[in-house]
Amino acid sequence: MPNYSIGLQMYTLRDLTTEDFAGTLRKVAEIGYQGVEFAGYGGMAAEELRALLDELGLSAIGSHTGYERLLEAAEEEIQYMKTIGGRYIAVPYLAEKYRSAAAWKEVSRNLAALGEQCQAEGIQLLYHNHQFEFTEHLDDKPIFDVMFESVKPDVLQVELDGCWAYAAGYDPTAYINKYRGRLPLLHFKDYRPTDKGPLTVELGEGIVPLKPLAQAAADAGVEWLIVEQDELTNPPLMSVKTSYDWIQSNLME
């Protein structure tokens, strides 16, 4: 059996959580996911959400929290995360205005300061990539590498989205190996190429080399494989169950 656990990024079910946040979490637990990564809390008080998670046997892995939100209210986000029992806060994206060489120095200072603030409270700051971190460069290097070279490893760790790295033309297994020991969470997703760009699909329905990716994650000590599907062409709960079932059939031996 692999040493990682299986989680779900709740952004995948955003259309359902806007209608019934607690009920959607119950469905996720019923499917069999061990933990959830949040992208908003449905307006629930931290104590109320913690009680629900405990009832359902779901772990709070962490959350995706916007860069600007952290600059404005890091302490509030940290305390909420501590209350629900999570360990990770991930910056999910950087807007284009933050990606220039001039802006990057301030971004790296802010990420370092936010990471130290999180660390002091027992929370680990992460950064989650899309494609641009690989396709856009600073100093002839992908922004991804510049970012993690600019901030100390214990202050800023990696949440690698293997799908988007692969879609950008990079080998995600090589990046898992490069950042092993600094990479506790892996976004585990699949996609198909289309005329309009990558279309995320259920696991096993696309072109991402999922089994080698999962093996590299296991070898590198990744704690959580986190299923996420940005775009859905099937009913949301059906999609996340299909992906969960693929994991059970293909990885849990």
Side-chain angles (χ1 to χ4, degrees):
M1 291 288 290
N3 55 2
Y4 47 68
S5 300
I6 306 302
L8 177 69
Q9 167 51 254
M10 292 298 293
Y11 178 76
T12 308
L13 301 179
R14 58 196 178 276
D15 290 343
L16 301 180
T17 55
T18 56
E19 298 175 359
D20 185 357
F21 192 87
T24 303
L25 282 174
R26 290 184 185 279
K27 295 293 186 182
V28 170
E30 288 171 7
I31 290 170
Y33 284 96
Q34 296 164 280
V36 287
E37 183 181 41
F38 292 100
Y41 301 113
M44 294 184 72
E47 295 80 3
E48 181 184 7
L49 180 53
R50 176 62 182 265
L52 177 61
L53 293 171
D54 289 346
E55 175 195 337
L56 299 177
L58 282 173
S59 296
I61 303 167
S63 74
H64 276 194
T65 306
Y67 173 66
E68 292 180 353
R69 168 65 180 168
L70 286 173
L71 292 179
E72 295 167 358
E75 184 61 23
E76 181 180 339
E77 294 293 336
I78 290 168
Q79 294 307 316
Y80 194 107
M81 184 56 57
K82 290 176 66 175
T83 300
I84 66 172
R87 294 177 52 203
Y88 298 105
I89 293 176
V91 175
Y93 186 76
L94 281 177
E96 191 169 353
K97 65 182 179 180
Y98 296 120
R99 303 180 204 168
S100 69
W104 176 244
K105 291 182 180 180
E106 182 178 2
V107 171
S108 62
R109 285 195 299 269
N110 286 337
L111 290 175
L114 289 167
E116 289 170 357
Q117 187 176 355
C118 287
Q119 192 176 55
E121 296 283 353
I123 301 296
Q124 179 65 58
L125 184 68
L126 312 174
Y127 182 84
H128 161 272
N129 65 279
H130 288 77
Q131 286 178 264
F132 78 82
E133 293 89 350
F134 293 95
T135 59
E136 297 179 22
H137 292 70
L138 291 173
D139 301 325
D140 297 322
K141 292 182 180 179
I143 286 177
F144 187 98
D145 292 305
V146 174
M147 176 183 301
F148 289 106
E149 290 172 5
S150 301
V151 185
K152 294 188 298 183
D154 62 327
V155 172
L156 181 67
Q157 295 192 355
V158 181
E159 181 177 51
L160 180 68
D161 191 309
C163 172
W164 293 136
Y166 191 74
Y170 286 75
D171 179 2
T173 61
Y175 267 80
I176 289 174
N177 292 328
K178 180 175 182 177
Y179 287 97
R180 65 184 301 154
R182 192 181 180 177
L183 201 162
L185 309 182
L186 175 70
H187 268 210
F188 199 61
K189 66 172 73 166
D190 208 348
Y191 83 94
R192 284 198 303 263
T194 74
D195 292 341
K196 297 180 180 180
L199 173 68
T200 55
V201 293
E202 292 84 359
L203 296 177
E205 299 296 323
I207 66 170
V208 176
L210 296 172
K211 289 184 179 180
L213 191 58
Q215 185 60 57
D219 294 342
V222 171
E223 298 169 15
W224 288 90
L225 297 191
I226 300 175
V227 173
E228 183 185 35
Q229 194 172 334
D230 301 61
E231 302 167 78
L232 298 165
T233 55
N234 292 311
L237 288 170
M238 179 188 296
S239 290
V240 299
K241 185 178 188 306
T242 297
S243 290
Y244 181 83
D245 290 345
W246 185 92
I247 290 172
Q248 296 304 305
S249 297
N250 290 275
L251 303 182
M252 298 300 176
E253 300 174 352

